[in-house]
Amino acid sequence: MDFEIIFLGTGSAIPTAKHNHTGILVKTPKENILVDCGEGIQRQFKIAKENPCKLTRLLITHWHADHALGIPGLIYSMGLNNYSKTLQIYGPEGTAKKLSSLQYIYNKFKIKYEVNEITKKVFESPELLIEALPMKHHNTTTFAYSIIIKDKTRLDKEKLKKLNLPNSPILKKLQEGKDIIHPKTKKKIKASSVIYTEKGKKITIILDTAVNPNTIKISQSADLLICESSFAEDEEARAKESYHLTTKQAAEIAKKAKVKQLVLTHISQKHEIHPEALLLEAKKIFKNTIAVKDFDKLKI
Ligand SMILES: [Zn+2]
Ligand SMILES: [Zn+2]
């Protein structure tokens, strides 16, 4: 397992008894990343038995209230719980100023944090890559994100055993793709004969947006596309007017980008009684689609 995704909030503009404002917790072996933090997300953490103090990064798609109202509350509680790391916060231009304004209203945050206003590459480590591309959502700067666990080069332990190679720094050289000389037999060992590539995984999160080419670009070949689906197929004009997607449009993105699975979220109040109808519309175009509700979990 590379990713565990916990849907803390799957509603849209107005939260309901069933659907909280948006918040998606993405866990990797080394990171706990929260994408958006609508109102009530800190309670959703508690109900899901997840710990906000384990958060490493907060990615903000945009500053509309249903995606950001929960930020001061979450940070306030993290401060009371002695959050000891430095929270890395990513968001559109203006994010630093907005966080300062929140501190003007609610007093200084009691946690350490760093603001990274977004360029194309958000973050990169040897294991992880986070990318962002701008979406089209009213006149509000909005980003979609891809979180990618990179391919890993692994040593084939069985083959190493057969070659009787000692556990020494030469193994690291092999892993880096460098050929070595066996310390005992003095024979050359080709790195390519003992290493293999463990394929990484990619998830893409597209929240509020109207149809635009970057949706396909950012989600290209993703293992999982989590996509907003605020409107039904027959509400296309309303979706366009409010810069959102219909089920059909979300499914078309999944199909064109050749993703493996599509997850529909950001379900509007109007459609929550019959989410299966939305699901069926998407499935006509992209079969491997699910619709999520609060506290659903996915492992990929
Ligand atoms: Zn929204
Ligand atoms: Zn929005």
Side-chain angles (χ1 to χ4, degrees), residues 246-256 262 281-282 285-286:
T246 65
T247 46
K248 190 180 169 207
Q249 289 162 342
E252 278 166 355
I253 295 166
K255 195 177 173 185
K256 285 181 190 157
L262 170 65
E281 286 181 4
I285 291 154
F286 191 82

Side-chain angles (χ1 to χ4, degrees), residues 31-300:
E31 301 259 354
N32 270 22
I33 302 165
L34 179 64
V35 182
D36 284 347
C37 185
E39 186 183 351
I41 287 297
Q42 61 165 321
R43 279 201 76 226
Q44 302 292 89
F45 264 94
K46 297 279 167 193
I47 299 166
K49 296 191 169 50
E50 294 294 336
N51 183 357
C53 283
K54 288 188 178 164
L55 281 180
T56 50
R57 298 172 205 281
L58 167 64
L59 311 182
I60 302 163
T61 60
H62 65 307
W63 277 88
H64 276 166
D66 55 324
H67 297 255
L69 273 176
I71 293 172
L74 181 76
I75 292 181
Y76 173 73
S77 296
M78 286 163 79
L80 291 178
N81 286 313
N82 302 315
Y83 179 72
S84 57
K85 296 183 262 288
T86 300
L87 183 66
Q88 297 295 328
I89 303 178
Y90 305 82
E93 197 185 345
T95 292
K97 205 173 165 197
K98 286 192 161 64
L99 289 167
S100 300
S101 307
L102 289 173
Q103 295 188 73
Y104 173 75
I105 303 167
Y106 299 114
N107 295 328
K108 196 171 169 6
F109 293 157
K110 288 188 175 61
I111 68 161
K112 279 189 269 171
Y113 72 94
E114 262 173 36
V115 181
N116 311 267
E117 293 186 350
I118 292 167
T119 53
K120 193 180 166 214
K121 193 195 286 172
V122 173
F123 169 77
E124 186 164 17
S125 74
E127 297 95 20
L128 197 72
L129 175 65
I130 305 178
E131 291 178 328
L133 279 180
M135 296 289 110
K136 193 177 160 191
H137 187 52
H138 301 275
N139 52 3
T140 305
T141 312
T142 301
F143 285 95
Y145 293 97
S146 280
I147 305 173
I148 299 154
I149 293 177
K150 294 179 181 175
D151 293 350
K152 286 184 207 102
T153 305
R154 296 276 193 202
L155 289 165
D156 188 322
K157 284 189 185 144
E158 283 301 307
K159 285 183 182 162
L160 292 182
K161 219 171 159 186
K162 273 186 198 156
L163 289 166
N164 204 13
L165 272 169
N167 197 359
S168 73
I170 56 168
L171 294 189
K172 198 166 180 274
K173 279 193 174 167
L174 282 172
Q175 199 165 13
E176 286 164 356
K178 292 172 192 156
D179 300 340
I180 56 139
I181 303 293
H182 196 296
K184 284 177 195 151
T185 65
K186 305 294 174 200
K187 276 187 185 162
K188 186 178 174 181
I189 295 167
K190 281 194 160 191
S192 58
S193 66
V194 290
I195 58 176
Y196 64 94
T197 303
E198 191 182 283
K199 199 88 187 82
K201 296 241 168 81
K202 169 176 173 175
I203 63 168
T204 299
I205 299 172
I206 297 174
L207 291 168
D208 301 6
T209 188
V211 176
N212 75 87
N214 276 353
T215 54
I216 296 156
K217 215 168 164 188
I218 188 117
S219 54
Q220 199 62 54
S221 309
D223 294 277
L224 194 71
L225 166 61
I226 299 163
C227 192
E228 75 125 311
S229 174
S230 305
F231 291 97
E233 192 180 341
D234 62 1
E235 295 172 304
E236 200 176 319
R238 275 199 65 208
K240 196 177 174 191
E241 188 181 283
S242 58
Y243 293 85
H244 278 289
L245 296 172
T246 65
T247 46
K248 190 180 169 207
Q249 289 162 342
E252 278 166 355
I253 295 166
K255 195 177 173 185
K256 285 181 190 157
K258 297 188 170 62
V259 308
K260 292 201 181 111
Q261 190 178 12
L262 170 65
V263 176
L264 302 178
T265 185
H266 204 271
I267 310 291
S268 79
Q269 186 170 219
K270 184 182 162 191
H271 294 291
E272 71 171 18
I273 316 148
H274 298 297
E276 61 283 0
L278 293 183
L279 189 58
L280 281 175
E281 286 181 4
K283 278 187 161 183
K284 276 193 285 179
I285 291 154
F286 191 82
K287 204 163 174 252
N288 195 11
T289 304
I290 58 167
V292 280
K293 54 186 188 314
D294 290 11
F295 308 115
D296 278 353
K297 289 183 185 182
L298 281 179
K299 286 182 183 180
I300 66 160

